[in-house]
């Protein structure tokens, strides 16, 4: 095999293929609907170049050369101790051997990213995941109509929480939409709070990769899931939690009415109880989605993008449009986070909970209603932001 042995996803184990791929292998054995694929194991990291190219080409021929997602599956990623949510590279919408090999290299290289080092020091006290420990997962992409994340209950009797938006799940996990939130009780009764889904991300049909487009006005606040599908997702979530032996954070997609499971990992930090954002009764109190427990009173710092990062001072509350994984280094110096979009199951919210800083998400027009220098009280458990007198 030219020195490179790629492993079918069905045969993946955590020891050689990392937690992400290993868990999906377990779910395939249990008959769960997981997209097919293969893994470049951590033990084969030294093999690259022509040898890897040839091995990947063979696997792509077996799969029929579909459009693929190439994702990290690091040794200490997606574990009960640390999720590493969004910290490593994923490349969605890849096709052809050259593009897949380049994406594998990008995933491996992300093990050395500064944000990964910051995350590892904050969560584990070390930087364990150098490239030699990085397995890489290659899977078919589901061309999703609706995607999202669900959290199974951490306490008996609690509901399953589901967040959903149109298109690929990148919009939900990266926090760039405020998703619909569903809660499914143990008796199967589902409730829904619709979000504001102004954009969607889909596969680019001609060039692979992904494309972002505006959602039609009437669909921005329309439900993405009916009660039946929300209940189906909850049932799958409970089955997966049973197979894996504990509460799970699960990424899913629906295409042509069929549910696919894209990822499952232990819940590392429990989100606050969901409370739908309330109308602002007082102009000085803003409402959003509770994202991470805790209360802090501090000075606000409005941040519109990476160019503003250098202005953030230790102890400030960051107020921003949204937070994708590139923003999480700010969480090492900020005492709290407020966003204009996003849900409690997004990657940034998960990292905020792991870091122990309060977060409120989906506060409409927060970067306009709060100014840099404003003293504010952020209650991440209640989902409120109060602007205090200067």
């Amino acid at each position: 095999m030219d020195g490179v042995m790629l492993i079918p996803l069905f045969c993946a184990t955590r020891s050689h293929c990392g937690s992400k791929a290993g868990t999906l292998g377990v779910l395939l054995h249990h008959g769960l609907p997981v997209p097919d694929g293969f893994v470049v194991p951590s033990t084969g990291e030294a093999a690259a170049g022509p040898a890897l190219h040839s091995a990947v080409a063979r696997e792509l021929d077996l799969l029929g050369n579909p459009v693929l997602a190439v994702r990290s599956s690091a040794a200490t990623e997606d574990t009960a101790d640390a999720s590493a949510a969004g910290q490593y590279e994923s490349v969605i919408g890849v096709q052809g051997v050259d593009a897949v090999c380049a994406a594998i290299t990008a995933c491996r290289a992300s093990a050395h990213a500064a944000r990964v080092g910051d995350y590892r020091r904050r969560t584990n006290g070390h930087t364990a995941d150098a490239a030699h420990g990085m397995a890489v997962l290659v899977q078919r992409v589901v061309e999703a109509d609706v995607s999202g994340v669900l959290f199974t209950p951490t306490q008996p009797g609690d509901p399953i929480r589901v967040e959903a938006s149109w298109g690929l799940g990148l919009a939900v996990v990266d926090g760039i939409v405020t998703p619909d939130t569903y809660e499914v009780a143990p008796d199967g009764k589902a409730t829904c709070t619709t979000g504001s889904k102004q954009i969607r991300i889909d596969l680019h049909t001609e060039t692979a990769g992904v494309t972002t487009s505006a959602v039609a006005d009437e669909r921005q606040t329309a439900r993405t899931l009916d009660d039946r599908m929300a209940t189906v997702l909850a049932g799958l979530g409970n089955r997966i939690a049973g197979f894996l032996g504990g509460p799970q954070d699960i990424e899913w997609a629906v295409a042509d009415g069929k549910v696919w499971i894209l990822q499952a990992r232990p819940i590392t930090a429990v989100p606050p109880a969901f409370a739908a954002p309330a109308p602002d009764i007082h102009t000085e109190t803003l409402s959003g989605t509770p994202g991470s427990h805790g209360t802090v009173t501090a000075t606000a710092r409005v941040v519109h993008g990476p160019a503003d990062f250098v202005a953030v001072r230790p102890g400030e509350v960051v107020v921003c449009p949204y937070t994708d994984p590139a923003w999480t280094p700010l969480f090492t110096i900020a005492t709290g986070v407020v966003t204009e979009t996003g849900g409690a199951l997004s990657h940034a919210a998960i990292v905020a909970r792991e870091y122990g800083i309060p977060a409120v998400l989906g506060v409409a027009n927060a970067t306009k209603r709060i100014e840099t220098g404003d003293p504010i009280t952020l209650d991440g458990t209640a989902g409120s932001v109060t602007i205090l007198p200067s």
Side-chain angles (χ1 to χ4, degrees):
M1 297 295 291
D2 297 329
V4 177
M5 180 67 74
L6 305 183
I7 298 176
L9 183 55
F10 187 84
C11 300
T13 63
R14 293 184 178 93
S15 58
H16 292 104
C17 300
S19 292
K20 184 180 296 175
T23 297
L24 291 177
V26 170
L27 296 184
L28 279 169
H29 276 278
H30 282 287
L32 272 295
V34 175
D36 196 12
F38 61 91
V39 184
V40 183
S42 57
T43 52
E45 291 295 319
L52 179 63
H53 191 279
S54 296
V56 168
R58 284 190 290 271
E59 291 295 331
L60 296 186
D61 285 343
L62 291 173
L63 290 173
N65 196 33
V67 178
L68 299 161
V70 181
R71 300 190 290 159
S72 65
S73 186
T76 57
E77 183 180 10
D78 290 359
T79 68
D81 297 322
S83 67
Q87 299 304 299
Y88 298 100
E89 188 70 27
S90 293
V91 187
I92 310 300
V94 182
Q95 191 169 33
V97 61
D98 291 340
V100 171
C101 288
I104 291 168
T105 299
C107 286
R108 290 173 172 171
S110 70
H112 300 293
R115 71 175 184 238
V116 172
D118 289 341
Y119 178 85
R120 288 298 168 203
R121 283 187 289 271
R122 185 69 177 252
T123 56
N124 290 338
H126 59 82
T127 53
D129 285 324
H132 67 270
M134 172 74 79
V136 180
L137 169 62
V138 182
Q139 279 181 290
R140 296 178 185 271
V141 171
V142 175
E143 295 191 51
D145 303 309
V146 179
S147 301
V149 182
L150 70 83
F151 271 32
T152 65
T154 56
Q155 297 295 328
D158 283 353
I160 283 183
R161 189 188 302 191
V162 181
E163 292 185 347
S165 191
W166 305 116
L168 299 179
L170 291 171
V172 175
V173 298
D174 283 352
I176 57 178
V177 296
T178 298
D180 296 346
T181 298
Y182 299 80
E183 291 195 321
V184 183
D187 64 3
K189 181 180 179 181
T191 59
C192 172
T193 300
T194 56
S196 177
K197 307 167 293 291
Q198 297 182 5
I199 63 101
R200 60 182 290 158
I201 300 175
D202 296 281
L203 284 179
H204 196 290
T205 56
E206 295 180 0
T207 62
V210 297
T211 184
T212 300
S213 60
V215 172
D217 290 347
E218 66 273 13
R219 287 172 65 83
Q220 290 181 12
T221 55
R223 287 182 57 161
T224 48
L225 302 171
D226 58 23
D227 286 355
R228 183 196 68 82
M229 184 57 77
T231 302
V232 167
L233 286 166
L236 280 172
N238 281 327
R239 287 178 61 196
I240 291 167
F243 294 146
L244 300 179
Q248 295 292 307
D249 163 358
I250 298 166
E251 294 183 18
W252 54 269
V254 177
D256 297 325
K258 180 175 180 178
V259 178
W260 293 91
I261 301 302
L262 309 181
Q263 183 172 313
R265 61 186 171 206
I267 294 174
T268 56
V270 180
F274 176 71
D280 296 333
I281 300 173
H282 305 291
T283 57
E284 68 272 14
T285 299
L286 314 180
S287 178
T289 299
S292 180
H293 288 286
T295 303
V296 64
T297 297
T299 300
R301 173 69 64 174
V302 177
V303 176
H304 292 284
D308 297 333
F309 286 8
V310 294
V312 179
R313 298 291 177 262
E316 293 179 328
V317 171
V318 172
V319 181
C320 50
Y322 68 96
T323 57
D324 67 20
W327 294 63
T328 53
L330 291 181
F331 294 8
T332 63
I333 59 174
T335 58
V337 181
V338 179
T339 70
E340 294 183 321
T341 61
L345 310 188
S346 65
H347 286 160
I350 292 169
V351 173
R353 292 194 291 273
E354 291 178 340
Y355 283 17
I357 62 173
V360 178
L361 312 168
V363 179
N365 299 312
T367 61
K368 297 180 178 66
R369 301 163 76 183
I370 301 171
E371 297 182 358
T372 292
D374 282 346
I376 61 174
T377 295
L378 169 64
D379 187 335
T381 304
S384 65
V385 183
T386 302
I387 304 172
L388 305 173
S390 299

